[in-house]
Amino acid sequence: MAAPHDWEMWLQTPGSPTAEFITHFHDGLLVVITIITIFVLTLLLYASWRFREKRNPTPSTTTHNTLIEILWTVIPIMILIGIAIPSFRLLYFADSTPNADMTLKIIGNQWYWSYVYPDNGNFTFDANLVPDDKLKKGQKRMMTTDNPVVLPVGKKIRLLMTSRDVIHSWGVAPLGIKLDNVPGRTNETWVEIDKPGVYYGFCSELCGAGHAYMPIMIKAVSPADFQQWVNYAKQTFSPAETPAAPAKKAEVAKPATVAQNSARN
């Protein structure tokens, strides 16, 4: 079960390639900022000791040092470039996948989630928070939904996100997913879950009074078990509304003068 634990440190165990990429990037960046922090602290302590008033009763009148100014300009630029390269690689890696095995549409509402499976029967259902008085043994408070999202492991899943009212954000930390659900717009990312289990997330955008009561619960299962669940879901949940086909444009009638000229010719 990929869920936060009491007294837990560091990031949650990654459950997808994107989450693993994020974890490695985080760990590498932590090393870089730790080295920078220690260097700057050491430099400050040395400067405070070396140039203290007792040791330097007559302050130096030096105002410029070309070499030092070049170094403290070039070195930070090189560090930022070194950070930017893996950062942009991560952004493009998590952006989208052209070879998805299936699609899941995620719709934010005040204050619950709606899900559509367009490639598996086009059925839809809502996922609401299970209140405290209806929790069963082993279910997590404020994290359990009445209808969990069921997804197959080892499959590339395209995630399409939108909203019916205000901006929400579908975030699942152990899977490395956090993307805004914006009304009138469809955002896209993807996920490939490594192993079966239950993964939890939350709305990560302040969306109103019920913001804290719209958790995300994902149940990752084997492809065979997923197909069995799809057969059950087709009989249980309602079909999603199919967008109406655009009406054909009516042919524009020619003006009488044009028609008459055509007939004369």
Side-chain angles (χ1 to χ4, degrees):
M1 183 178 294
H5 305 285
D6 293 339
W7 301 100
E8 184 178 16
M9 295 183 65
W10 313 114
L11 302 178
Q12 295 184 45
T13 303
S16 71
T18 303
E20 188 172 352
F21 199 148
I22 292 172
T23 300
H24 290 163
F25 179 63
H26 166 270
D27 294 344
L29 192 57
L30 185 61
V31 173
V32 173
I33 63 177
T34 300
I35 294 174
I36 293 174
T37 302
I38 294 174
F39 172 76
V40 173
L41 178 60
T42 303
L43 192 61
L44 285 173
L45 293 175
Y46 172 76
S48 300
W49 171 81
R50 174 65 177 80
F51 302 104
R52 66 189 187 276
E53 183 180 3
K54 184 177 180 180
R55 184 163 181 172
N56 297 273
T58 304
S60 173
T61 58
T62 302
T63 57
H64 294 283
N65 186 302
T66 304
L67 177 60
I68 292 178
E69 291 182 358
I70 292 176
L71 289 177
W72 72 31
T73 301
V74 174
I75 293 176
I77 291 175
M78 299 304 295
I79 293 174
L80 291 176
I81 292 175
I83 294 174
I85 292 174
S87 177
F88 280 108
R89 286 184 58 210
L90 174 58
L91 288 175
Y92 282 102
F93 181 78
D95 181 45
S96 63
T97 176
N99 301 314
D101 297 306
M102 63 168 286
T103 300
L104 174 68
K105 186 174 182 179
I106 303 158
I107 306 170
N109 308 275
Q110 289 181 313
W111 288 273
Y112 62 93
W113 298 101
S114 297
Y115 299 97
V116 183
Y117 288 71
D119 299 335
N120 302 96
N122 200 36
F123 56 86
T124 181
F125 61 86
D126 298 332
N128 294 277
L129 172 70
V130 176
D132 294 352
D133 57 350
K134 294 185 179 181
L135 286 173
K136 299 179 181 179
K137 185 177 180 180
Q139 291 184 330
K140 293 186 175 295
R141 177 180 176 273
M142 300 294 292
M143 300 173 70
T144 303
T145 61
D146 54 357
N147 292 312
V149 182
V150 180
L151 296 174
V153 299
K155 301 291 184 180
K156 290 187 176 181
I157 304 166
R158 180 183 292 110
L159 303 176
L160 303 178
M161 304 188 191
T162 187
S163 172
R164 290 195 177 102
D165 36 55
V166 299
I167 298 178
H168 301 274
S169 184
W170 205 76
V172 185
L175 299 180
I177 304 171
K178 184 182 180 299
L179 194 62
D180 283 350
N181 301 64
V182 182
R185 177 175 178 174
T186 300
N187 289 331
E188 179 180 344
T189 185
W190 68 284
V191 66
E192 182 179 349
I193 304 176
D194 294 334
K195 56 184 178 181
V198 181
Y199 300 84
Y200 295 95
F202 302 92
C203 177
S204 302
E205 187 73 47
L206 187 59
C207 58
H211 164 69
Y213 307 103
M214 49 186 306
I216 300 161
M217 181 179 178
I218 299 176
K219 185 177 180 182
V221 299
S222 65
D225 290 341
F226 174 74
Q227 189 57 50
Q228 291 182 1
W229 177 82
V230 166
N231 296 334
Y232 160 80
K234 287 179 181 178
Q235 302 175 2
T236 305
F237 301 122
S238 303
E241 296 181 0
T242 303
K248 294 182 178 180
K249 294 182 179 180
E251 294 184 0
V252 180
K254 294 182 179 180
T257 55
V258 176
Q260 293 173 1
N261 292 336
S262 299
R264 293 173 183 174
N265 295 331

